[in-house]
């Protein structure tokens, strides 16, 4: 299958793929946008293209309590490990005094097997980090991770355990500097906050920003880390706040310009790239006009830097488009993006779910009418200017 489709292992280059199908069995609830089914659909499309033959495939284990505690507080982990879904009933003021840490609301519901789900996501990310650290992988992929909102002792925005922070902490045992890049449509607030006080991690998030009407409401252009005199992490948080409807062309220009400058100045020894697919056009929660090609171009740009890299998943609430993006990005990792057919494989399971039989639907196919673009070129130049000035404060 792999040979007939032209997919072969990249020479002298190892890509590892980390997943745990048990994760896909967990459910946040009927109306909740986070559907683990998107992982099933993504994996099945990746396998249908024969890409597993070009990667080292690992069934990941659950992270241990001690591994989760490398970032999270033990009080929070103990509560997460013991709280039951039945704890949900609330009083007349919609409060439940037994619930804490932002758990049990509509964004972060309690469900059966929650702790296992969280530890599996963190396990995939940690295994990916260890493959990078041991230099057995050049790129390690963990599409089940990327849960960037979770805090040390708080769940937030569908995220309970911050697998990215845990993986970066592992990278820092070996690498002096890690660059975190986040192309999810939401601000990567949890990762940013975790590394606010170190100059060994630079965080960069591209996101829709509207402090009043778009979750989580943080990530303004001039939020660049606490600027106290003694904070080495000052200026090491880069935020790229965007408006609705940004296009592939504009995003590509911004991404290449900003990441190019950061890499030149910060000289990262490893990259953690969160590839949240809710920045694609037609996403149930997102607002951008990105296509699979534009989203993938970010992965391609990072791959060309030739720096060890972990690819994380993240958001993505229209499963057919999530599957397309992560499949295309897997093909970029194994360097076969020019070899795979843009027509979805005939034998792909759930092929009818994709509506169109192409890996690259047009904006018209996705949306009918594309979302209005509210990102004037002048504003994008101001953003680049701000980041350029910010980087003057970063020691190289
Ligand atoms: N946008 C959005 C959105 N939609 C929901 C939601 C909808 C239906 C449900 F049954 C449950 C929740 N919540 C939100 C956002 C959180 C977005 C999290 C994105 C996560 C990620 O992609 O970045 C990474 C995995 N929450 C809110 O907007 C908060 C509310 C303020 C409004 C919505 N209600 C349901 C909760 C409170
Ligand atoms: Ca982001
Ligand atoms: Zn998101």
């Amino acid at each position: 299958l792999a040979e007939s489709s032209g997919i072969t292992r990249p020479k002298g280059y190892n890509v590892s793929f980390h997943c745990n199908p048990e994760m896909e069995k967990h459910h946040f609830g009927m109306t909740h946008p986070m559907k683990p089914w998107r992982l099933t659909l993504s994996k099945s499309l990746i396998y249908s293209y024969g890409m597993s033959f070009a990667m080292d495939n690992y069934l990941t284990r659950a992270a241990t309590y001690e591994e989760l505690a490398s970032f999270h507080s033990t009080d929070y982990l103990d509560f997460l490990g013991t709280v039951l879904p039945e704890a949900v009933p609330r009083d007349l003021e919609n409060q439940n005094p037994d619930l804490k840490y932002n758990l049990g609301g509509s964004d972060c519901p309690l469900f059966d097997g929650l702790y296992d789900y969280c530890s599996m996501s963190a396990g995939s990310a940690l295994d990916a980090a260890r493959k990078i650290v041991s230099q057995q992988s050049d790129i390690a992929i963990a599409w089940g991770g990327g849960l960037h909102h979770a805090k040390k002792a708080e769940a937030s925005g569908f995220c309970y355990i911050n697998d990215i922070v845990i993986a970066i902490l592992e990278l820092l045992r070996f690498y002096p500097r890690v660059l975190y890049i986040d192309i999810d449509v939401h601000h990567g607030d949890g990762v940013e906050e975790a590394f606010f006080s170190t100059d060994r991690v630079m965080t960069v998030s591209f996101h829709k920003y509207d402090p009043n009407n778009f979750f989580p409401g943080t990530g303004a252009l001039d939020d660049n880390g606490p600027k106290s005199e003694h904070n080495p992490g000052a200026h090491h948080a880069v935020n790229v706040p965007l408006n609705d409807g940004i296009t592939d062309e504009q995003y590509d220009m911004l991404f290449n310009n900003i990441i190019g400058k950061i890499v030149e100045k910060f000289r990262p020894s490893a990259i953690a790239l969160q590839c949240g697919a809710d920045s694609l056009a037609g996403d149930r929660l997102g607002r951008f006009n990105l296509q699979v090609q534009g989203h993938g171009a970010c992965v391609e740009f990072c791959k060309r830097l030739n720096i060890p890299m972990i690819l994380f998943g993240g958001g993505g609430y229209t499963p057919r488009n999530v599957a397309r993006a992560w499949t295309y990005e897997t093909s970029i990792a194994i360097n076969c993006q020019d070899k795979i057919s843009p027509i979805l494989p005939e034998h792909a399971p759930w092929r009818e779910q994709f509506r169109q039989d192409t890996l690259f639907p047009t904006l018209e196919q996705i949306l009918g009418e594309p979302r209005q673009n509210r990102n004037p070129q002048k504003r994008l130049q101001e953003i680049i200017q701000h980041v350029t000035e910010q980087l003057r404060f970063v020691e190289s």
Side-chain angles (χ1 to χ4, degrees):
L1 174 69
E3 272 166 28
S4 66
S5 61
I7 293 172
T8 49
R9 273 180 178 267
K11 290 215 167 52
Y13 198 84
N14 288 325
V15 177
S16 55
F17 190 78
H18 304 265
C19 66
N20 188 335
E22 287 298 310
M23 256 191 97
E24 298 155 35
K25 295 185 183 156
H26 293 83
H27 289 279
F28 285 59
M30 288 281 283
T31 55
H32 200 286
M34 180 58 107
K35 308 272 182 223
W37 147 252
R38 71 212 182 105
L39 296 175
T40 314
L41 195 64
S42 303
K43 217 172 50 185
S44 112
L45 191 60
I46 291 166
Y47 291 168
S48 301
Y49 270 107
M51 292 183 202
S52 56
F53 297 102
M55 306 186 281
D56 300 327
N57 300 279
Y58 295 97
L59 187 66
T60 48
R61 70 201 164 80
T64 64
Y65 178 90
E66 288 70 29
E67 286 169 337
L68 301 180
S70 64
F71 173 53
H72 292 282
S73 80
T74 51
D75 286 356
Y76 174 58
L77 292 176
D78 292 341
F79 190 76
L80 198 63
T82 51
V83 67
L84 297 168
E86 299 85 78
V88 163
R90 284 154 186 271
D91 64 17
L92 289 173
E93 267 122 34
N94 204 26
Q95 302 291 314
N96 180 336
D98 298 333
L99 284 173
K100 34 193 181 176
Y101 307 116
N102 199 27
L103 290 163
S106 47
D107 274 359
C108 300
L110 299 173
F111 54 84
D112 282 330
L114 172 61
Y115 188 87
D116 294 339
Y117 167 85
C118 294
S119 39
M120 280 185 274
S121 152
S124 294
L126 255 178
D127 281 358
R130 291 196 177 129
K131 284 287 156 196
I132 295 290
V133 163
S134 66
Q135 298 178 342
Q136 290 176 69
S137 301
D138 299 285
I139 297 185
I141 301 176
W143 293 136
L147 306 177
H148 57 175
H149 298 304
K151 314 285 177 351
K152 183 183 165 92
E154 194 184 300
S156 171
F158 318 164
C159 306
Y160 304 81
I161 290 289
N162 202 315
D163 59 295
I164 306 171
V165 171
I166 294 171
I168 293 178
L169 288 171
E170 189 68 20
L171 295 176
L172 289 173
R173 289 157 70 112
F174 186 81
Y175 293 108
R177 287 175 304 283
V178 175
L179 174 60
Y180 172 67
I181 308 170
D182 185 317
I183 60 170
D184 189 290
V185 75
H186 299 100
H187 176 223
D189 55 349
V191 184
E192 180 185 273
E193 185 184 300
F195 297 112
F196 254 165
S197 55
T198 177
D199 55 1
R200 292 183 60 201
V201 178
M202 177 161 259
T203 62
V204 191
S205 176
F206 298 76
H207 46 265
K208 152 88 186 168
Y209 177 67
D210 178 343
N212 302 314
N213 285 312
F214 198 73
F215 185 86
T218 50
L221 185 60
D222 56 1
D223 285 345
N224 306 125
K227 289 189 185 76
S228 83
E229 216 179 292
H230 304 293
N231 177 19
H235 313 290
H236 283 69
V238 174
N239 280 305
V240 183
L242 302 167
N243 278 313
D244 289 6
I246 192 160
T247 62
D248 276 5
E249 201 191 2
Q250 290 180 316
Y251 204 89
D252 193 56
M253 183 279 288
L254 264 183
F255 189 90
N256 297 0
N257 207 308
I258 289 174
I259 301 301
K261 287 191 167 83
I262 288 174
V263 168
E264 203 181 304
K265 194 74 196 272
F266 183 64
R267 293 177 299 105
S269 27
I271 293 178
L273 175 57
Q274 197 268 22
C275 302
D278 47 9
S279 42
L280 292 170
D283 187 81
R284 180 175 157 191
L285 301 191
R287 305 283 181 87
F288 293 167
N289 274 337
L290 293 191
Q291 294 178 254
V292 171
Q293 297 94 317
H295 202 267
C298 301
V299 176
E300 201 155 7
F301 183 89
C302 291
K303 181 171 186 266
R304 287 222 179 95
L305 296 169
N306 243 328
I307 296 170
M309 172 162 73
I310 305 179
L311 298 181
F312 295 95
Y317 306 102
T318 304
R320 58 183 178 278
N321 293 336
V322 178
R324 284 184 169 102
W326 291 349
T327 297
Y328 181 53
E329 288 158 17
T330 304
S331 82
I332 291 168
I334 59 177
N335 219 6
C336 72
Q337 67 272 36
D338 300 327
K339 293 185 196 147
I340 59 168
S341 168
I343 308 293
L344 302 181
E346 209 61 60
H347 59 279
W350 303 294
R351 200 172 187 268
E352 71 289 350
Q353 291 280 327
F354 291 90
R355 299 198 180 166
Q356 294 86 20
D357 66 0
T358 172
L359 195 54
F360 306 109
T362 61
L363 279 182
E364 288 67 30
Q365 284 173 319
I366 301 165
L367 289 165
E369 184 75 18
R371 198 179 274 278
Q372 192 173 356
N373 184 359
R374 299 191 185 278
N375 297 274
Q377 218 54 28
K378 189 166 163 277
R379 175 63 183 155
L380 303 185
Q381 288 306 330
E382 279 167 16
I383 292 173
I384 293 175
Q385 185 63 28
H386 176 94
V387 176
T388 309
E389 280 163 22
Q390 180 186 343
L391 288 174
R392 293 208 190 113
F393 296 97
V394 172
E395 278 178 36
S396 49

Coordinates of all heavy atoms in Angstrom, one line a residue, residues 125-171:
A125 N 2.2 13.0 24.9 CA 3.1 14.1 24.8 C 4.4 13.8 25.4 O 5.5 14.2 24.9 CB 2.4 15.3 25.5
L126 N 4.4 13.2 26.6 CA 5.7 12.8 27.2 C 6.5 11.8 26.4 O 7.7 12.0 26.3 CB 5.4 12.3 28.6 CG 5.6 13.2 29.8 CD1 5.2 12.4 31.1 CD2 7.1 13.6 29.9
D127 N 5.9 10.8 25.9 CA 6.6 9.9 25.1 C 7.2 10.6 23.9 O 8.3 10.3 23.5 CB 5.6 8.8 24.6 CG 5.4 7.7 25.6 OD1 6.0 7.8 26.7 OD2 4.6 6.8 25.4
A128 N 6.4 11.5 23.3 CA 6.9 12.3 22.1 C 8.2 13.1 22.5 O 9.2 13.0 21.9 CB 5.8 13.2 21.6
A129 N 8.1 13.7 23.7 CA 9.2 14.5 24.2 C 10.5 13.6 24.4 O 11.6 14.0 24.1 CB 8.9 15.2 25.5
R130 N 10.2 12.4 24.9 CA 11.4 11.5 25.2 C 12.0 11.0 24.0 O 13.2 10.8 23.9 CB 10.9 10.4 26.1 CG 10.6 11.0 27.5 CD 10.5 9.9 28.6 NE 10.3 10.6 29.9 CZ 9.3 10.3 30.7 NH1 8.5 9.3 30.5 NH2 9.1 11.0 31.8
K131 N 11.2 10.8 22.9 CA 11.8 10.4 21.6 C 12.7 11.5 21.0 O 13.7 11.3 20.4 CB 10.7 10.1 20.6 CG 10.0 8.7 20.9 CD 11.0 7.6 20.5 CE 10.6 6.3 21.3 NZ 11.6 5.3 21.3
I132 N 12.3 12.8 21.3 CA 13.1 13.9 20.8 C 14.4 14.0 21.6 O 15.5 14.1 21.1 CB 12.2 15.2 20.9 CG1 11.0 15.2 20.0 CG2 13.1 16.4 20.6 CD1 11.3 15.2 18.5
V133 N 14.2 13.9 22.9 CA 15.4 14.1 23.8 C 16.4 13.0 23.6 O 17.6 13.2 23.6 CB 14.9 14.0 25.3 CG1 16.0 13.7 26.3 CG2 14.2 15.3 25.7
S134 N 15.9 11.8 23.3 CA 16.9 10.7 23.1 C 17.4 10.7 21.6 O 18.1 9.8 21.2 CB 16.2 9.3 23.4 OG 15.1 9.1 22.4
Q135 N 16.9 11.6 20.9 CA 17.3 11.8 19.5 C 17.0 10.6 18.6 O 17.5 10.4 17.5 CB 18.8 12.1 19.4 CG 19.1 13.4 20.1 CD 20.6 13.8 20.1 OE1 21.5 13.0 19.8 NE2 20.9 15.1 20.4
Q136 N 16.0 9.9 19.0 CA 15.5 8.8 18.2 C 14.5 9.3 17.2 O 14.2 8.7 16.2 CB 14.8 7.7 19.0 CG 15.8 6.9 19.9 CD 15.0 5.9 20.8 OE1 14.5 5.0 20.3 NE2 15.0 6.2 22.1
S137 N 13.9 10.5 17.4 CA 13.0 11.1 16.5 C 13.5 12.5 16.2 O 13.9 13.2 17.1 CB 11.6 11.2 17.1 OG 11.1 10.0 17.4
D138 N 13.3 12.9 14.9 CA 13.5 14.3 14.5 C 12.2 15.1 14.7 O 12.2 16.3 15.1 CB 14.0 14.4 13.1 CG 15.3 13.6 12.9 OD1 16.3 14.2 13.3 OD2 15.3 12.5 12.4
I139 N 11.1 14.4 14.4 CA 9.8 15.0 14.6 C 9.0 14.0 15.3 O 9.0 12.8 14.9 CB 9.0 15.4 13.3 CG1 9.8 16.5 12.6 CG2 7.6 15.9 13.6 CD1 9.1 17.1 11.3
A140 N 8.3 14.3 16.4 CA 7.4 13.4 17.1 C 6.0 14.0 17.1 O 5.8 15.2 17.4 CB 7.9 13.2 18.6
I141 N 5.0 13.2 16.8 CA 3.6 13.7 16.6 C 2.7 13.2 17.7 O 2.7 11.9 17.9 CB 3.1 13.3 15.2 CG1 4.0 13.8 14.1 CG2 1.7 13.7 15.0 CD1 3.6 13.3 12.7
A142 N 2.0 14.1 18.3 CA 1.0 13.7 19.4 C -0.3 14.4 19.1 O -0.6 15.4 19.8 CB 1.6 14.0 20.8
W143 N -1.1 14.0 18.1 CA -2.3 14.7 17.8 C -3.3 14.7 18.9 O -4.2 15.6 19.0 CB -2.9 14.2 16.5 CG -2.1 14.4 15.2 CD1 -1.9 13.4 14.3 CD2 -1.5 15.6 14.8 NE1 -1.2 13.9 13.2 CE2 -0.9 15.3 13.5 CE3 -1.3 16.8 15.3 CZ2 -0.2 16.2 12.8 CZ3 -0.6 17.8 14.5 CH2 0.0 17.5 13.3
G144 N -3.2 13.8 19.9 CA -4.1 13.7 21.0 C -3.8 14.7 22.1 O -4.6 14.9 23.0
G145 N -2.7 15.4 21.9 CA -2.3 16.4 23.0 C -2.6 17.8 22.5 O -3.4 18.1 21.6
G146 N -1.9 18.8 23.1 CA -2.1 20.2 22.7 C -3.1 21.0 23.5 O -3.7 21.9 23.1
L147 N -3.3 20.5 24.8 CA -4.4 21.1 25.6 C -3.9 22.3 26.4 O -3.6 22.2 27.6 CB -5.0 20.0 26.5 CG -5.4 18.8 25.6 CD1 -6.0 17.6 26.4 CD2 -6.5 19.3 24.5
H148 N -3.8 23.4 25.7 CA -2.9 24.6 26.1 C -3.5 25.5 27.2 O -2.8 26.4 27.6 CB -2.6 25.4 24.8 CG -3.7 25.9 24.0 ND1 -3.6 26.7 23.0 CD2 -5.1 25.7 24.1 CE1 -4.8 27.0 22.4 NE2 -5.7 26.3 23.1
H149 N -4.8 25.3 27.5 CA -5.4 26.2 28.5 C -5.2 25.8 30.0 O -5.4 26.6 30.9 CB -6.9 26.4 28.3 CG -7.2 27.0 26.9 ND1 -6.8 28.2 26.5 CD2 -8.0 26.5 25.9 CE1 -7.2 28.5 25.3 NE2 -8.0 27.5 24.9
A150 N -4.9 24.5 30.2 CA -4.9 24.0 31.6 C -3.8 24.7 32.4 O -2.7 25.0 31.9 CB -4.7 22.5 31.6
K151 N -4.1 25.1 33.6 CA -3.2 25.8 34.5 C -2.7 24.8 35.6 O -3.2 23.7 35.7 CB -3.9 27.0 35.2 CG -4.7 27.8 34.3 CD -3.8 28.7 33.4 CE -4.5 29.6 32.4 NZ -5.8 29.5 32.1
K152 N -1.8 25.2 36.4 CA -1.2 24.4 37.5 C -2.3 23.8 38.3 O -2.2 22.6 38.7 CB -0.2 25.3 38.3 CG 0.5 24.6 39.4 CD 1.3 25.7 40.1 CE 1.8 25.2 41.5 NZ 3.2 24.7 41.4
A153 N -3.2 24.6 38.7 CA -4.3 24.0 39.6 C -5.7 24.5 39.1 O -6.5 25.0 39.9 CB -4.1 24.5 41.0
E154 N -5.9 24.4 37.8 CA -7.2 24.8 37.3 C -7.4 24.3 35.9 O -6.5 24.3 35.0 CB -7.2 26.3 37.2 CG -8.6 26.9 37.0 CD -8.6 28.4 36.8 OE1 -8.2 29.1 37.8 OE2 -9.1 28.9 35.7
A155 N -8.6 23.7 35.7 CA -9.0 23.3 34.3 C -9.6 24.6 33.6 O -10.0 25.5 34.3 CB -10.1 22.3 34.4
S156 N -9.5 24.6 32.3 CA -10.0 25.7 31.6 C -10.1 25.3 30.1 O -9.3 24.6 29.5 CB -9.0 26.9 31.7 OG -9.3 27.9 30.8
G157 N -11.2 25.8 29.5 CA -11.4 25.7 28.0 C -11.2 24.2 27.5 O -10.3 24.1 26.6
F158 N -11.9 23.3 28.0 CA -11.8 21.9 27.6 C -10.5 21.2 28.0 O -10.2 20.1 27.5 CB -12.0 21.7 26.1 CG -13.1 22.5 25.4 CD1 -13.1 22.7 24.0 CD2 -14.1 23.1 26.1 CE1 -14.1 23.4 23.4 CE2 -15.1 23.9 25.5 CZ -15.1 24.0 24.1
C159 N -9.6 21.9 28.7 CA -8.3 21.3 29.0 C -8.1 21.1 30.5 O -8.4 22.1 31.3 CB -7.2 22.3 28.6 SG -7.3 22.8 26.8
Y160 N -7.7 20.0 31.0 CA -7.6 19.7 32.4 C -6.1 19.5 32.8 O -5.8 19.9 33.9 CB -8.3 18.3 32.7 CG -9.8 18.3 32.2 CD1 -10.2 18.1 30.9 CD2 -10.8 18.5 33.2 CE1 -11.5 18.1 30.5 CE2 -12.2 18.5 32.8 CZ -12.5 18.3 31.5 OH -13.8 18.3 31.1
I161 N -5.4 18.9 31.9 CA -4.0 18.6 32.2 C -3.2 19.3 31.0 O -3.5 19.0 29.8 CB -3.7 17.1 32.2 CG1 -4.3 16.5 33.5 CG2 -2.2 16.8 32.1 CD1 -3.6 16.9 34.8
N162 N -2.2 20.1 31.3 CA -1.4 20.7 30.2 C -0.3 19.8 29.8 O 0.8 19.9 30.3 CB -0.9 22.1 30.7 CG -0.7 23.0 29.5 OD1 0.0 22.5 28.5 ND2 -1.1 24.2 29.5
D163 N -0.6 19.0 28.8 CA 0.4 18.0 28.3 C 1.6 18.7 27.6 O 2.7 18.2 27.6 CB -0.3 17.1 27.3 CG -0.9 17.8 26.1 OD1 -1.9 18.6 26.4 OD2 -0.4 17.7 25.0
I164 N 1.3 19.9 27.1 CA 2.4 20.7 26.4 C 3.4 21.1 27.4 O 4.6 20.9 27.2 CB 1.8 21.9 25.7 CG1 0.7 21.5 24.7 CG2 2.9 22.6 24.9 CD1 0.0 22.7 24.1
V165 N 3.0 21.7 28.5 CA 3.9 22.2 29.6 C 4.7 21.0 30.1 O 6.0 21.1 30.2 CB 3.1 22.9 30.7 CG1 4.1 23.2 31.9 CG2 2.5 24.2 30.2
I166 N 4.0 19.9 30.3 CA 4.7 18.7 30.9 C 5.8 18.2 29.9 O 6.9 17.9 30.2 CB 3.7 17.6 31.2 CG1 2.8 18.0 32.4 CG2 4.4 16.3 31.5 CD1 1.6 17.1 32.7
A167 N 5.5 18.2 28.6 CA 6.4 17.8 27.5 C 7.6 18.8 27.4 O 8.8 18.4 27.3 CB 5.7 17.7 26.2
I168 N 7.3 20.1 27.5 CA 8.4 21.1 27.4 C 9.3 21.0 28.6 O 10.5 21.1 28.5 CB 7.8 22.5 27.3 CG1 7.1 22.7 25.9 CG2 8.9 23.6 27.4 CD1 6.4 24.1 25.7
L169 N 8.7 20.7 29.8 CA 9.6 20.6 31.0 C 10.6 19.4 30.7 O 11.7 19.4 31.1 CB 8.8 20.3 32.2 CG 8.0 21.5 32.7 CD1 7.0 21.1 33.8 CD2 9.0 22.6 33.2
E170 N 10.1 18.4 30.1 CA 11.0 17.2 29.7 C 12.1 17.6 28.7 O 13.2 17.3 28.9 CB 10.1 16.1 29.2 CG 10.8 14.8 29.0 CD 11.1 14.1 30.3 OE1 10.5 14.4 31.3 OE2 12.0 13.2 30.2
L171 N 11.7 18.4 27.7 CA 12.7 18.9 26.8 C 13.7 19.8 27.4 O 14.9 19.7 27.1 CB 12.0 19.7 25.7 CG 11.0 19.0 24.7 CD1 10.3 20.0 23.8 CD2 11.7 17.9 23.9

